[in-house]
Amino acid sequence: MKFDKPAGTNPIDRMAVVGRPTPRIDGPLKVSGKAPYAYEQQDVPGKPAYGYILGSAVAKGTISAIDTTRAERAPGVLSVVTHRNAGKLGKGRMNTAHLLAGPKVEHYHQAVAVVVAETFEQARAAASLINVDYARESGAFDLAAARAGAKDATGSDAPTSVGDFAGAFASAGVQLDQTYTTPDQSHAMMEPHATIAAWEGDSLTIWTSNQMINWGVKELAATLQMPPEKVRLISPYIGGGFGGKLFLRTDAVMAALSARAVKRPVKVALQRPLIPNNTTHRPATIQRIRIGCGSDGRITAIGHESWSGDLEGGGPEAATQQTKLLYAGANRMTALRLAVLDLPEGNAMRAPGEAPGLMALEVAMDEMAEKLGMDPVAFRVVNDTQVDPEDPSRPFSQRNLVRCLEEGARRFGWNRRKAPGQGREGRWLVGMGVAAAFRNNINGKSGARVRLDRAGGVTVETDMTDIGTGTYTIIAQTAAEMLGVPLAKVTVKLGDSAFPVSAGSGGQWGANSSTSGVYAACVKLRDMVVGKLGFGPGDAQFEGGQVRVGNRVADIADAAKGGELVAEDTMEYGDLAKTFQQSTFGAHFVEAAVDRYTGETRIRRMLAVCAAGRILNPISARSQVIGAMTMGVGGALMEELAVDKRFGFFVNHDLAGYEVPVHMDIPHQDVVFLDEADDKVSPMKAKGVGELGLCGVGAAVANAVYNATGIRVREYPLTLDKYLDRLGEVA
Amino acid sequence: MRPFTYEKATSAQDAAAKAAAMPGARFIAGGTNLLDLMKLEIETPSHLIDVNGLGLDRIEEIDGGGLRIGALVRNTDLAADQRVRKDYAVLTRALVAGASGQLRNKATTAGNLLQRTRCPYFYDTNMPCNKRKPGSGCAALGGFSRQLGVIGTSDACIATHPSDMAVAMRVLDASVETIRPDGTTRAIPIAEFHTLPGETPHIETALEKGEMIISVALPRPRGGTHIYRKVRDRASYAFALVSVAAVIQRDGKGAVALGGVAPKPWRVEEAEALLPQGPKAVADRLFAGARPREDNAFKLTLAQRTIASVMAEAKA
């Protein structure tokens, strides 16, 4: 099915199941431990051996010698796989560095060897017996130092320019020119990257934890230089990914190589201290923002440049993305500049681009509002645009940013906000901050198969993943709505490359794209049902387990009397995303308190108002947004991979050193969804919320801290050492 | 983790004797720190002597006043003890500021005193570390040192001692009671229990070979307002950037010890005489001779401001 014109009325509009607050259908399995995650899969042919990965001790250089003799002789050891015996390996299109080092080492903790043994403990113990000699080379590890040599990014990341930015900025009555920095961040998902691999002849099955089944199949096949048809990838449950599991990682490759070496299944999980340096991370940025305004508060010039680094051949953190679209202004420019660094590989982390981009832009907007003497909400409202500011011929499909801001301000009690440094409660300095949330909507081609059995049961199969987001539930809701059956009649099977290829989970495209694929398959199945029932043409109603055309009524199960009905289809998209700019919007409000003695910041209240099309399930959508808001607090206040610029690695590479918020850091959170349905995006009329919830949170926190203290900090995270000496004397 | 042998001690003296006789032996109690370090091969004992079940898990009143805390009393139980809460509240407050409920259920009094530093370079076996591998150098010097020590450190090591409990015990003038392999016992003032790194950062305590902690004695209660203020980047489950344990009397006199700044709980008795002059005077004396790094110089400011916060709270 192709979606190439705005959706008319369709069965989803009934919203008898879709849109209803529905607890996740996989919840009981998860809370009772019956949902097997990758490392726990039991359907493995034979008793698996255990693999343990040894990471490189240097960031850059060459393995000059590697002695595995002692490890191979250690108790229980079955094999040691290194670049010397792994056979020729290719590289996935989406991997910047190789997933097995040797002889070249491209980054710290890059996999150098995997030890396979009968037990995990034996494998781990033997790994320490491997002797590796490195010829260490110097590298570039400091973004600030590499900034001068950075080059303009190309392709879709190339610089943009509209009007005369330089001239308009120079002549603007009120100007802002500030630089902000965001640090490297780690996904820090609960479940580590983990895989069990098993070979049968030349066919490989891996049980893994991956957001994108089809990418994983292709990339693993490319790496192992085998046909993708011979790879089966199964990933039904994922304990968090946040973009860290979008791509093939070394657990899968090492498990496959190990299983081939020892001729039995092998399981490999990345040990926690390996994850920050071995896998991908969100790259640090240096961002310069210039805004010029007239005294009426209208933006006449807006410029955003961002510098980030990556390994040779990698890509930039697209932190200027939202600045192309968020605010009006006739003269504009953006530029992404990429430096080559020898730190571990950078890549997508939840809301790549917008998350760090808005951390800068929305503080700049706060600073500009103050310069103008305008309320920060009013300043944003004045600069709203209903068309793509770079190409005014393109309207937004739906854009309710102003309503988000105004509704949020009303609900949050924004009018009680005081001047910077004026809010005081005992030892606490108290302030409020706001930021706009913005993230583009992306639709992806997505397929599904729907089965109707004799008992009227419906089974949906798609290689779509549930990364903790609630995909199982919204897909079940979609099928139940389309076929008029109760939710309990629907079984959802996900995360298996044997199923039709879906859009996968990433870029907040999963919910809308995958349910649209299920919609397409259900439309096909409805036609089959009506045909089987011999009802002839007419407007069929599917409701209450029955099918009705005119006066004729039958149980839907009757259609499958003669055997199961199976329909498969894929939703594809025309050029509506070109004609209309499709984005999601929101406003974040934060109240923060700063201890005037110690500078500790404690968040007191948070509110997000989101406009993201139809909300398929308010419970799981809310869960996504409050999780994202929590992540935003982490990014604002504590999360930072500390770079050792001499040795070239992230020093705090475990969950003791890389702090993320704990329960005590997160106060009352409110989430409001505007009642929307965007008919330009899909028949579901839904957009994503999983990343929108993060976009802007950091800036709202930073703006609240500024409002509380009167001190502006432009380097994230806002740890107390950055402003303690400006907090004013205490007794 | 390296293979190791394991046995249960039959008495405290038995444990001490076995530890002295067996090279590479370590005591194991709660294991909350040792097991983690063994998995990373930072600790590689060849033999573990289990000292649970030796009856060292009781809190008893000392004749003439004071409390004797068994070495194996769990942090949770110690924090919850009515006598501790009433007379040594700073200790309860310090304990509950540390780790998590689950860890406190396992962690013991002696184990808490003996826990190793959380310096990230100590934890990364690819990095030089004089504490982990004497003579290999210190990667933290010139590296990421935001969490590390500003005073009492040396050119060989700038690690901090991570305990909260020990900081409260220092302000309470506790003494650490031990048994030696020959069965003799002694009491080590907590001020002397942890040693400064100097050229030998791998030596962290005054304990002799095989010597085992059997209890910690708290002197008679001294009244006053008991405060433990722990400053960190998140609200819970993080090591202190700076912590302040204080017992302040009505007349403004008192005792103050700091955590998160030094290789041991940091207390300078002469600084306490300056309490009436205010936090700056106290902090200046406490940190005379401090050698902060660029990353952690803020701890000096933070310590002074935290002392100010504690003094204001004591007055309120």
Side-chain angles (χ1 to χ4, degrees):
Chain A
M1 182 179 282
K2 191 161 191 181
F3 185 78
D4 52 9
K5 54 180 186 296
T9 302
N10 67 43
I12 299 295
D13 293 327
R14 285 186 303 188
M15 293 182 72
V17 192
V18 168
R20 296 290 174 97
T22 308
R24 55 183 75 206
I25 60 173
D26 49 327
L29 285 180
K30 286 185 172 167
V31 296
S32 61
K34 289 177 189 155
Y37 287 78
Y39 207 66
E40 309 160 343
Q41 290 284 352
Q42 303 296 319
D43 300 334
V44 180
K47 182 176 176 289
Y50 290 79
Y52 189 88
I53 291 173
L54 177 69
S56 168
V58 303
K60 190 180 183 187
T62 310
I63 298 171
S64 45
I66 182 161
D67 181 0
T68 57
T69 324
R70 284 174 65 214
E72 281 159 10
R73 287 182 195 149
V77 171
L78 302 168
S79 182
V80 180
V81 178
T82 70
H83 74 279
R84 292 183 316 183
N85 61 0
K88 189 168 158 35
L89 294 180
K91 183 158 78 67
R93 197 170 54 82
M94 299 180 199
N95 293 130
T96 306
H98 293 82
L99 296 175
L100 175 61
K104 208 173 138 202
V105 171
E106 294 157 294
H107 61 85
Y108 194 74
H109 276 173
Q110 188 176 22
V112 162
V114 58
V115 179
V116 193
E118 290 291 348
T119 71
F120 171 79
E121 289 76 12
Q122 288 170 331
R124 184 176 59 190
S128 71
L129 302 176
I130 298 174
N131 209 348
V132 190
D133 291 334
Y134 300 94
R136 194 174 136 193
E137 291 166 27
S138 59
F141 306 121
D142 183 352
L143 176 61
R147 177 180 172 179
K151 297 197 168 58
D152 281 347
T154 54
S156 59
D157 291 323
T160 61
S161 174
V162 174
D164 170 20
F165 170 76
F169 181 71
S171 62
V174 186
Q175 297 170 338
L176 176 104
D177 182 352
Q178 282 295 355
T179 297
Y180 308 85
T181 63
T182 64
D184 297 287
Q185 292 181 338
S186 188
H187 306 85
M189 72 293 279
M190 196 68 91
E191 181 202 24
H193 302 71
T195 299
I196 304 176
W199 291 86
E200 269 177 276
D202 59 354
S203 294
L204 171 65
T205 301
I206 67 164
W207 292 262
T208 190
S209 182
N210 193 295
Q211 299 172 224
M212 301 292 295
I213 303 299
N214 192 245
W215 290 3
V217 167
K218 288 181 187 163
E219 299 277 283
L220 184 56
T223 304
L224 298 176
Q225 306 203 315
M226 62 188 285
E229 308 79 62
K230 296 281 188 185
V231 176
R232 172 127 180 244
L233 196 154
I234 301 171
S235 180
Y237 300 105
I238 295 154
F242 309 116
K245 293 175 182 165
L246 283 170
F247 313 108
L248 178 73
R249 296 306 311 170
T250 197
D251 55 304
V253 177
M254 294 303 110
L257 292 173
S258 302
R260 189 157 68 190
V262 302
K263 298 185 169 56
R264 65 187 259 204
V266 174
K267 51 164 69 180
V268 176
L270 297 192
Q271 56 271 31
R272 182 65 64 180
L274 205 64
I275 292 177
N277 287 285
N278 176 278
T279 71
T280 57
H281 66 279
R282 188 200 300 283
T285 66
I286 299 170
Q287 301 180 48
R288 182 188 186 197
I289 295 180
R290 285 172 288 173
I291 304 174
C293 280
S295 55
D296 58 356
R298 289 186 192 280
I299 295 171
T300 54
I302 184 163
H304 192 166
E305 297 155 273
S306 175
W307 289 261
S308 62
D310 203 356
L311 290 166
E312 185 80 53
E317 177 68 25
T320 59
Q321 216 158 242
Q322 71 291 322
T323 309
K324 299 173 186 175
L325 291 161
L326 188 48
Y327 297 113
N331 305 288
R332 35 204 320 132
M333 65 81 67
T334 69
L336 295 173
R337 304 206 170 89
L338 179 62
V340 174
L341 292 181
D342 297 296
L343 289 170
E345 165 172 350
N347 214 319
M349 177 168 146
R350 199 176 198 174
E354 277 101 335
L358 284 162
M359 285 165 86
L361 177 63
E362 286 299 284
V363 172
M365 288 295 285
D366 201 62
E367 297 200 58
M368 192 60 173
E370 187 174 25
K371 277 180 181 250
L372 289 160
M374 284 179 79
D375 181 277
V377 170
F379 177 49
R380 287 173 172 88
V381 170
V382 162
N383 287 291
D384 186 47
T385 173
Q386 292 293 316
V387 297
D388 173 355
E390 288 190 350
D391 177 3
S393 71
R394 296 177 69 232
F396 281 91
S397 60
Q398 194 165 48
R399 174 169 165 135
N400 282 317
L401 174 62
V402 169
R403 267 184 63 202
C404 291
L405 287 161
E406 291 179 342
E407 176 77 14
R410 188 181 63 74
R411 286 175 181 258
F412 201 67
W414 181 250
N415 58 2
R416 295 198 302 271
R417 176 174 171 268
K418 297 194 169 90
Q422 298 305 307
R424 180 82 185 265
E425 290 175 25
R427 68 176 223 249
W428 295 101
L429 311 173
V430 184
M432 291 187 212
V434 66
F438 176 91
R439 173 81 178 152
N440 279 334
N441 179 66
I442 304 166
N443 292 330
K445 186 176 161 184
S446 198
R449 186 156 54 222
V450 186
R451 301 172 183 275
L452 175 68
D453 65 32
R454 289 161 197 241
V458 173
T459 302
V460 184
E461 297 168 344
T462 163
D463 85 357
M464 179 61 190
T465 49
D466 188 326
I467 56 174
T469 42
T471 314
Y472 279 101
T473 311
I474 57 172
I475 283 181
Q477 288 174 275
T478 303
E481 189 81 81
M482 288 298 291
L483 301 172
V485 299
L487 201 62
K489 282 279 194 187
V490 183
T491 304
V492 180
K493 295 183 177 174
L494 300 181
D496 187 333
S497 61
F499 299 149
V501 175
S502 74
S505 298
Q508 79 171 13
W509 63 62
N512 181 42
S513 300
S514 68
T515 54
S516 293
V518 173
Y519 173 94
C522 287
V523 168
K524 210 176 232 184
L525 186 66
R526 284 165 62 109
D527 289 346
M528 290 170 78
V529 166
V530 172
K532 279 280 175 199
L533 294 173
F535 279 8
D539 194 6
Q541 302 293 317
F542 285 64
E543 210 169 349
Q546 294 185 319
V547 185
R548 180 188 304 268
V549 177
N551 292 329
R552 303 182 64 181
V553 183
D555 284 348
I556 190 169
D558 293 347
K561 261 185 198 157
E564 186 187 50
L565 299 186
V566 184
E568 183 177 332
D569 202 0
T570 295
M571 181 62 83
E572 297 176 73
Y573 295 86
D575 59 4
L576 281 172
K578 288 192 186 118
T579 322
F580 297 94
Q581 176 55 41
Q582 303 177 359
S583 305
T584 61
F585 303 89
H588 287 288
F589 291 83
V590 169
E591 183 177 302
V594 178
D595 187 306
R596 75 182 190 91
Y597 289 94
T598 63
E600 293 158 287
T601 297
R602 298 288 176 254
I603 306 298
R604 291 189 161 189
R605 289 190 295 142
M606 304 180 80
L607 165 69
V609 182
C610 301
R614 175 175 283 155
I615 298 304
L616 302 175
N617 180 351
I619 291 182
S620 53
R622 178 178 183 277
S623 170
Q624 280 295 289
V625 175
I626 63 173
M629 290 158 81
T630 303
M631 199 175 222
V633 171
L637 297 181
M638 61 192 83
E639 289 185 43
E640 174 174 19
L641 286 168
V643 180
D644 187 309
K645 291 167 190 162
R646 307 159 304 164
F647 294 104
F649 75 114
F650 301 129
V651 182
N652 50 340
H653 51 65
D654 59 30
L655 291 181
Y658 186 85
E659 290 179 16
V660 298
V662 295
H663 283 96
M664 272 178 74
D665 290 300
I666 302 303
H668 184 72
Q669 296 174 311
D670 250 339
V671 181
V672 174
F673 295 107
L674 297 188
D675 191 10
E676 283 192 337
D678 190 335
D679 66 353
K680 315 288 195 306
V681 295
S682 79
M684 302 303 294
K685 304 175 185 174
K687 294 184 275 199
V689 296
E691 298 187 326
L692 179 68
L694 172 60
C695 293
V697 176
V701 172
N703 293 337
V705 168
Y706 171 73
N707 183 243
T709 61
I711 301 165
R712 186 66 75 177
V713 180
R714 301 183 183 88
E715 294 168 6
Y716 290 98
L718 274 60
T719 48
L720 55 88
D721 47 297
K722 291 174 182 150
Y723 52 84
L724 199 56
D725 56 354
R726 290 183 272 164
L727 265 180
E729 290 293 310
V730 287
Chain B
M1 188 184 282
R2 302 268 177 88
F4 57 89
T5 51
Y6 167 92
E7 70 182 312
K8 272 180 180 295
T10 55
S11 69
Q13 192 195 337
D14 173 55
K18 281 179 167 141
M22 183 83 85
R26 294 292 307 263
F27 302 120
I28 181 148
T32 57
N33 191 212
L34 182 61
L35 285 178
D36 282 353
L37 294 171
M38 286 169 67
K39 290 171 188 171
L40 296 165
E41 299 204 358
I42 294 163
E43 294 267 14
T44 52
S46 54
H47 186 65
L48 288 185
I49 300 163
D50 189 337
V51 295
N52 291 287
L54 300 181
L56 300 174
D57 55 354
R58 285 187 283 274
I59 304 171
E60 290 164 350
E61 283 159 40
I62 298 171
D63 287 347
L67 277 187
R68 174 163 288 117
I69 304 158
L72 273 288
V73 172
R74 308 286 154 172
N75 287 176
T76 297
D77 297 330
L78 182 57
D81 187 273
Q82 286 300 322
R83 294 159 294 187
V84 174
R85 292 177 63 183
K86 178 169 163 286
D87 294 329
Y88 308 96
V90 65
L91 180 55
T92 288
R93 290 183 177 130
L95 281 160
V96 298
S100 65
Q102 292 91 332
L103 285 167
R104 293 194 296 268
N105 287 341
K106 287 296 286 179
T108 63
T109 305
N112 191 318
L113 288 173
L114 293 172
Q115 66 180 303
R116 312 292 307 274
T117 184
R118 307 297 163 143
C119 173
Y121 295 96
F122 174 74
Y123 267 80
D124 191 329
T125 50
N126 292 325
M127 292 291 130
C129 172
N130 288 321
K131 191 184 274 298
R132 175 166 31 78
K133 196 175 172 192
S136 62
C138 172
L141 285 164
F144 173 61
S145 57
R146 184 168 178 271
Q147 283 281 348
L148 302 179
V150 294
I151 193 158
T153 54
S154 72
D155 290 339
C157 183
I158 58 170
T160 54
H161 194 270
S163 173
D164 293 298
M165 183 196 80
V167 181
M169 286 182 170
R170 178 71 179 89
V171 90
L172 291 169
D173 289 314
S175 58
V176 181
E177 299 174 332
T178 67
I179 186 163
R180 284 181 282 208
D182 62 3
T184 58
T185 59
R186 65 168 173 156
I188 308 168
I190 190 147
E192 293 161 26
F193 181 76
H194 293 106
T195 54
L196 293 180
E199 293 300 307
T200 55
H202 58 291
I203 299 170
E204 296 173 350
T205 69
L207 292 173
E208 295 165 7
K209 190 169 172 52
E211 186 172 10
M212 189 179 94
I213 300 172
I214 48 174
S215 50
V216 172
L218 299 180
R220 229 179 322 201
R222 290 176 193 154
T225 300
H226 288 225
I227 296 169
Y228 190 76
R229 184 81 166 82
K230 182 175 181 180
V231 181
R232 41 191 160 174
D233 289 321
R234 64 180 171 191
S236 171
Y237 200 43
F239 295 99
L241 295 169
V242 164
S243 69
V244 175
V247 177
I248 308 286
Q249 306 296 337
R250 272 165 188 260
D251 60 4
K253 291 180 182 160
V256 177
L258 272 72
V261 294
K264 59 190 285 187
W266 197 249
R267 181 176 173 193
V268 177
E269 275 78 352
E270 302 91 86
E272 291 162 7
L274 305 173
L275 277 166
Q277 294 178 36
K280 184 171 188 313
V282 176
D284 284 350
R285 180 64 192 86
L286 267 169
F287 290 102
R291 298 199 310 165
R293 319 287 310 176
E294 193 187 336
D295 280 355
N296 65 15
F298 76 94
K299 287 192 174 186
L300 299 180
T301 312
L302 180 60
Q304 184 187 318
R305 297 182 74 101
T306 309
I307 293 167
S309 171
V310 165
M311 289 173 71
E313 188 182 336
K315 245 185 251 169

